[in-house]
Amino acid sequence: MAQNFRLNSKKSRDNINRRLLNLKALKISLRLLLFVTFFSGIIFRVYAQSESTPQNRHNSQEPSIYWIGQFPSDEKAIKTPNIFLRLFASFVGKKNPRLIRPFSVFMDRSDQLWVLDQGSHSVDRIQIDVGEITQLRRTKSTGFPSLVGICAAANGSVLFTDSKLNKIFLITKNSNSLQNLNNSTSLNRPTGIAYSQINKEIWVVETNAHRIAVLNNDGKLLRHVGHRGTGPGEFNYPTFIWIDHSGIVYVVDSMNFRIQILNEAGDVISIFGESGDATGYFSHPKGIATDSQQHIYVVDARANRVQIFDKEGNFLFNFGEQGTGKGEFWLPVGIYIDERDRIYVADSYNARIQIFQYKPGATNEK
């Protein structure tokens, strides 16, 4: 009996030891499984991040937009354009001019950046390489109440509009003097303005009249294009306008939430766009421009982005989102694209001009 008890006790101990060994093996297996799972996740995340880095996107076959700079270049730009900052800017004047609420932008052939600043009520001419701003006003103390559109004109001159004054102003090359161009022409809330190098004509949007006035170089009215409505060639509070090097006209038909493309005579070529928040739709369209590939760029202010379309109006891609960092916007408005496909965006409530570069994909290269 005693021998049987000892045998049974030994079997019990052996069973317990085997169970303990099995438990240890199970714990080790679980630890190995967790270890492998953890490091597999890390490797996957590193790989995924490497696949989405800008460097890899640079090697893509698709066209891309790259941030290359901003003005002012420091992080001390005025961020909130309120009445106190406007008074500050007016008080300081030329001693320390800053951008407050840039609305429209234009780069001339001598690499001077022109900005219509609705915050300081001034036209700012900027030497970017030295960061110097020259502010132009009607008089030393009187600014422009509602600056909207700006463009290059004949002989290196610059044109800009003030919608409240109902005037077009001319600045001749290498001069700070202002001339009123439309003394003999009455305008109804002039906003966007563009110059046709083909016909030597000035096209200015009359927002409250829902039409476009076409003027000669002396500011005399040649004809009107459009009237109020929702059909082709009709407008509902149009705002911004752009004319490309071939004379094609692009009009932001704001309250119809669309873009109308016209020929030199003002006849409709095509129309695209409708109201909406999704990509390819417009919630608050503002500035418009085209690049060397005939892509159409439209600033959608409320969506804090720039949308890009092909010449037929098909949506391609967009860039930007709400924020204060590089490539982010806060109610952007104006846009300009130079001959090098550099893109200048008036990032209005971030008090800066952001500069981007368009890079064509391999299939788009000339």
Side-chain angles (χ1 to χ4, degrees):
M1 180 68 70
Q3 185 177 1
N4 289 336
F5 176 77
R6 284 195 296 272
L7 289 173
N8 291 334
S9 297
K10 183 177 180 181
K11 289 180 180 178
S12 298
R13 287 195 298 273
D14 290 341
N15 288 333
I16 292 170
N17 288 333
R18 280 196 298 272
R19 290 176 180 174
L20 290 173
L21 289 173
N22 289 335
L23 286 172
K24 289 181 179 179
L26 180 62
K27 288 181 179 180
I28 292 172
S29 298
L30 288 172
R31 288 175 180 173
L32 286 172
L33 180 62
L34 290 172
F35 179 82
V36 171
T37 302
F38 175 74
F39 278 96
S40 296
I42 292 178
I43 292 171
F44 175 79
R45 285 194 295 272
V46 170
Y47 174 78
Q49 290 174 357
S50 67
E51 286 297 300
S52 63
T53 57
Q55 183 176 0
N56 282 335
R57 287 199 294 270
H58 286 188
N59 297 325
S60 167
Q61 300 298 306
E62 298 180 354
S64 304
I65 302 294
Y66 302 104
W67 186 94
I68 60 173
Q70 69 178 43
F71 184 87
S73 59
D74 60 19
E75 297 180 356
K76 298 178 181 180
I78 299 173
K79 295 295 183 182
T80 308
N82 55 36
I83 186 62
F84 299 105
L85 293 177
R86 294 182 192 180
L87 290 172
F88 171 78
S90 299
F91 176 76
V92 173
K94 292 187 178 181
K95 296 178 183 178
N96 186 28
R98 302 294 298 269
L99 297 183
I100 298 180
R101 187 154 58 92
F103 198 82
S104 289
V105 60
F106 157 69
M107 175 68 79
D108 67 20
R109 291 183 178 273
S110 59
D111 288 335
Q112 291 186 115
L113 191 67
W114 294 76
V115 179
L116 302 185
D117 194 332
Q118 287 195 349
S120 62
H121 307 292
S122 65
V123 180
D124 298 346
R125 189 173 62 192
I126 302 168
Q127 299 284 352
I128 291 185
D129 53 346
V130 296
E132 179 183 345
I133 301 179
T134 301
Q135 292 187 326
L136 306 177
R137 293 185 172 89
R138 285 184 291 163
T139 66
K140 291 183 179 180
S141 59
T142 305
F144 300 95
S146 185
L147 294 162
V148 181
I150 187 169
C151 72
N155 303 319
S157 60
V158 175
L159 296 170
F160 64 92
T161 63
D162 189 297
S163 65
K164 190 171 183 179
L165 297 176
N166 292 316
K167 293 186 181 300
I168 300 172
F169 291 96
L170 170 71
I171 302 176
T172 56
K173 187 177 181 179
N174 301 323
S175 172
N176 291 336
S177 62
L178 297 173
Q179 301 176 29
N180 181 13
L181 188 69
N182 63 309
N183 279 322
S184 61
T185 303
S186 177
L187 298 173
N188 192 350
R189 290 282 178 175
T191 52
I193 190 168
Y195 185 75
S196 173
Q197 296 288 347
I198 303 298
N199 292 338
K200 310 302 179 185
E201 295 174 339
I202 301 164
W203 290 52
V204 58
V205 176
E206 293 184 85
T207 296
N208 279 8
H210 314 282
R211 68 188 181 192
I212 301 167
V214 181
L215 316 176
N216 65 14
N217 284 322
D218 296 323
K220 294 182 180 180
L221 180 66
L222 300 177
R223 63 188 182 277
H224 287 118
V225 175
H227 55 268
R228 190 169 196 179
T230 58
E234 298 175 341
F235 303 101
N236 189 20
Y237 292 101
T239 50
F240 287 83
I241 188 171
W242 174 271
I243 300 178
D244 68 19
H245 294 299
S246 63
I248 302 300
V249 182
Y250 305 80
V251 183
V252 179
D253 189 5
S254 295
M255 295 311 295
N256 280 327
F257 301 95
R258 64 187 184 182
I259 306 301
Q260 295 204 54
I261 304 176
L262 315 176
N263 64 17
E264 303 168 18
D267 301 319
V268 176
I269 298 174
S270 63
I271 300 173
F272 68 91
E274 58 184 294
S275 177
D277 295 325
T279 54
Y281 294 78
F282 300 123
S283 60
H284 203 178
K286 290 289 188 179
I288 189 168
T290 60
D291 64 19
S292 63
Q293 303 288 325
Q294 293 184 291
H295 297 136
I296 305 166
Y297 295 64
V298 183
V299 177
D300 202 343
R302 191 171 295 165
N304 297 291
R305 67 189 177 194
V306 178
Q307 300 200 74
I308 304 173
F309 303 83
D310 65 19
K311 61 183 180 181
E312 284 78 32
N314 300 307
F315 173 77
L316 298 176
F317 59 101
N318 64 66
F319 64 95
E321 60 183 355
Q322 185 171 4
T324 59
K326 296 177 180 179
E328 299 175 339
F329 301 113
W330 186 8
L331 292 178
V333 184
I335 186 171
Y336 179 79
I337 301 177
D338 67 17
E339 295 177 349
R340 297 167 291 184
D341 283 335
R342 288 191 173 180
I343 305 155
Y344 305 82
V345 180
D347 189 7
S348 186
Y349 276 72
N350 277 327
R352 64 185 177 182
I353 303 298
Q354 293 202 65
I355 308 170
F356 302 84
Q357 179 68 60
Y358 168 76
K359 180 179 179 181
T363 57
N364 290 338
E365 291 179 356
K366 295 182 177 180

